């Protein structure tokens, strides 16, 4: 899948999934699923970090590719659909660190979301190359795109 | 990626990641990450179910493919590495429904894990076809492979 196609797909998914499948989703489930997505990406980011930055001797191209594919596939899965009404604060047994701005600053959110989506897909592409230096750079850019969103839309 | 390669990769990952990256992972984090993976797959299974079984009129080939890719990429990410010592019961603030048998019945676990991995990759392949009937069948088989593991290794 090309990067452009992934991006278009990501945007389309956000809108379409909201309409189609989120109609009967409970707010606490939406929070649970989006936290699960970020958490699972975090595990895979940690693995790539370990194998490229912290302990490059442990570099394993197949493991890095599998981790990067998981991150990209989660990024491409339309998580925007999980920011439904009623998910801007803790609900049920689910806590959230999201800031209210995420639900109002449409342009700003789109910007960080597109950048993250681009970076995650670029990381998966870099991982295919098996080149440690290329992967380390793409990893750094992906991490920066995560942080850009956290800084703006996540409470500490 | 071929199915065979995915399977080999999955098995290799389980072993290699355990050795390489899990050394300094806290048991509560391992439980958190594996629950996140299952939870996120569950969201994506629900989307595919909604678009193929419950409300076929809402079928959207791109959304189904994105959901199936997320499930397959998570399945291929080496989650076996998250079943480290100390994760066979609740720990820290993490609860787990895993049965102790999962940590001892190596042959049985391998069997359900390989079947699930095969089914998840077959579902992603089916989703590429865009054929609703083919996808519905692959979805059913993936669901059955989830349930086979739950029945044997998860408490109710």
């Amino acid at each position: 899948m090309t990067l452009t196609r992934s991006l278009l797909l990501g945007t389309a998914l956000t809108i379409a999934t909201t309409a189609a499948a989120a109609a009967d989703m409970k707010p606490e489930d939406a929070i649970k699923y989006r936290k699960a997505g970020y958490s699972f990406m975090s595990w895979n980011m940690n693995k790539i970090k370990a194998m490229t930055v912290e302990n490059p001797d442990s570099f394993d191209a197949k493991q890095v590719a599998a981790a990067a594919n998981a991150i990209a596939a989660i990024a491409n899965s339309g998580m925007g659909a999980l920011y439904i009404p009623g998910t801007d604060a803790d609900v049920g047994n689910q806590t959230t660190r999201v800031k209210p701005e995420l639900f109002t600053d449409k342009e700003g959110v789109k910007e960080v979301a597109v950048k993250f989506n681009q970076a995650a897909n670029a990381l998966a592409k870099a991982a295919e190359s098996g080149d440690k230096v290329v992967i380390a750079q793409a990893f750094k850019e992906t991490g920066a795109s995560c942080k850009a969103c956290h800084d703006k839309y996540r409470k500490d």
Side-chain angles (χ1 to χ4, degrees), chain A:
Chain A
M1 186 184 294
T2 65
L3 182 56
T4 311
R5 210 188 127 211
S6 297
L7 286 173
L8 291 172
L9 179 56
T11 309
L13 276 174
T14 304
I15 297 159
T17 311
T18 306
D24 53 0
M25 185 180 285
K26 286 195 292 185
E28 47 266 56
D29 288 337
I31 293 175
K32 177 183 157 182
Y33 290 138
R34 73 195 189 206
K35 286 169 70 177
Y38 296 125
S39 182
F40 204 76
M41 286 194 287
S42 162
W43 176 50
N44 285 284
M45 287 292 282
N46 289 345
K47 284 190 282 183
I48 297 173
K49 188 179 186 184
M51 289 185 277
T52 57
V53 180
E54 294 169 344
N55 183 12
D57 287 348
S58 73
F59 182 79
D60 180 302
K62 286 183 183 172
Q63 286 193 46
V64 169
N69 281 340
I71 294 163
I74 291 171
N76 292 336
S77 71
M79 289 183 66
L82 296 170
Y83 290 86
I84 56 174
T87 65
D88 57 341
D90 298 352
V91 57
N93 62 351
Q94 288 295 328
T95 57
T96 176
R97 285 186 283 172
V98 73
K99 286 184 185 168
E101 289 85 341
L102 186 133
F103 294 86
T104 53
D105 180 17
K106 285 197 164 65
E107 281 305 308
V109 169
K110 190 179 166 187
E111 192 183 331
V112 293
V114 167
K115 278 191 183 163
F116 164 62
N117 202 285
Q118 284 177 322
N121 283 283
L123 176 59
K125 202 168 160 53
E128 276 178 29
S129 76
D131 182 321
K132 211 189 292 190
V133 176
V134 172
I135 295 166
Q137 181 60 30
F139 167 77
K140 195 177 157 189
E141 284 163 20
T142 305
S145 77
C146 296
K147 187 174 182 298
C149 187
H150 296 169
D151 288 349
K152 271 186 104 163
Y153 302 112
R154 194 179 76 170
K155 294 172 197 160
D156 287 334

